[in-house]
Amino acid sequence: MKVIAFNGSVRKDGNTAILLNLVLDELKAEGIETELYLLAGKPVHGCIACFKCFEKKNKRCAVEKDVMNECIQKMDEADGILLGSPTYFADVSAGMKALIERCGMVGRANADMYKRKAGAAVVACRRAGAISVFNSLNYFFTINEMIIPGSSYWNIGMGRQPGEVNSDAEGVQTMKNLGKNMAWLLKKTRQ
Ligand SMILES: Cc1cc2nc3c(=O)[nH]c(=O)nc-3n(C[C@H](O)[C@H](O)[C@H](O)COP(=O)(O)O)c2cc1C
């Protein structure tokens, strides 16, 4: 079994990466293969509404000039998907938004190809707006007929500079519990 985690932050070793790795460490401890995929440094574009994915139905986006088809393939092959984003003006980062639009549309064009995979959101935030990000990420999972494991709080870690989320004890514990719950869910539903 495999979980792919996408980090939508422009900081590759920032707070979102730390939070995602806390979840991934729990999954690894349960014997689940993991991969952390960074959007940082990879220019990505939003959906151009060409709807060619609905014509071709080949599990690919017609826009081939960025990494989105690589992301779609990784989602297709995984049993679980983590979407991690920093809070930018009370919403997801632009990179994460592009991923949601492009991977989401191709998924819907191809008989809901992420159906019944496990999916969970991870959010880094300095002060406010994280719950909007959490909701935006969860919309991706629910419209794609995915199953969302919960945790002991909503999956948010507080911090500004890289590393500060490590001081958010409840945020850290929330990520660890999320990882345990996601592993439990995967074993119940994907084995
Ligand atoms: C463009 C931009 C917008 C931001 N907007 C918010 C915001 O609306 N609310 C907030 O609490 N923090 C905001 N922040 C702070 C980040 O969410 C915070 O520093 C977070 O830990 C960054 O995660 P990262 O280290 O993974 O990039 C913003 C940061 C940037 C660069």
Side-chain angles (χ1 to χ4, degrees):
M1 275 191 298
K2 182 167 179 184
V3 170
I4 176 79
F6 293 94
N7 183 358
S9 172
V10 292
R11 300 201 286 209
K12 80 178 177 63
D13 297 318
N15 292 318
T16 312
I18 291 167
L19 295 168
L20 283 169
N21 275 317
L22 287 165
V23 184
L24 295 180
D25 285 348
E26 296 296 329
L27 291 161
K28 279 186 248 179
E30 293 289 334
I32 293 163
E33 189 186 341
T34 66
E35 181 182 348
L36 181 58
Y37 189 95
L38 305 175
L39 289 177
K42 298 176 181 119
V44 286
H45 203 288
C47 177
I48 60 166
C50 67
F51 292 100
K52 290 206 174 99
C53 53
F54 279 86
E55 288 167 27
K56 294 185 176 172
K57 297 189 187 299
N58 62 354
K59 296 188 173 183
R60 292 186 74 79
C61 177
V63 178
E64 295 276 1
K65 61 187 174 199
D66 61 17
V67 295
M68 279 305 161
N69 279 318
E70 190 185 344
C71 297
I72 291 162
Q73 190 180 344
K74 285 182 185 295
M75 284 193 184
D76 190 31
E77 289 168 359
D79 298 287
I81 300 168
L82 287 168
L83 296 183
S85 180
T87 303
Y88 284 177
F89 288 89
D91 217 318
V92 295
S93 67
M96 179 52 66
K97 183 64 173 158
L99 183 114
I100 288 170
E101 292 175 8
R102 303 267 299 282
C103 298
M105 198 59 96
V106 170
R108 292 178 64 67
N110 288 275
D112 293 325
M113 58 197 262
Y114 317 125
K115 185 174 180 171
R116 295 183 186 157
K117 295 178 189 287
V122 165
V123 185
C125 176
R126 179 184 77 82
R127 185 171 179 84
I131 206 71
S132 303
V133 181
F134 185 68
N135 291 336
S136 291
L137 297 172
N138 279 326
Y139 292 137
F140 178 88
F141 304 127
T142 50
I143 199 170
N144 281 299
E145 301 186 49
M146 295 174 67
I147 305 165
I148 302 173
S151 186
S152 42
Y153 200 82
W154 301 303
N155 313 334
I156 293 161
M158 308 295 280
R160 184 179 205 166
Q161 299 303 337
E164 280 185 11
V165 280
N166 287 314
S167 305
D168 175 8
E170 188 173 5
V172 167
Q173 193 58 51
T174 301
M175 299 305 149
K176 290 181 177 178
N177 291 343
L178 175 63
K180 288 188 179 84
N181 291 341
M182 192 170 197
W184 182 91
L185 178 67
L186 285 166
K187 287 178 182 182
K188 292 282 179 199
T189 57
R190 308 286 298 183
Q191 266 181 342

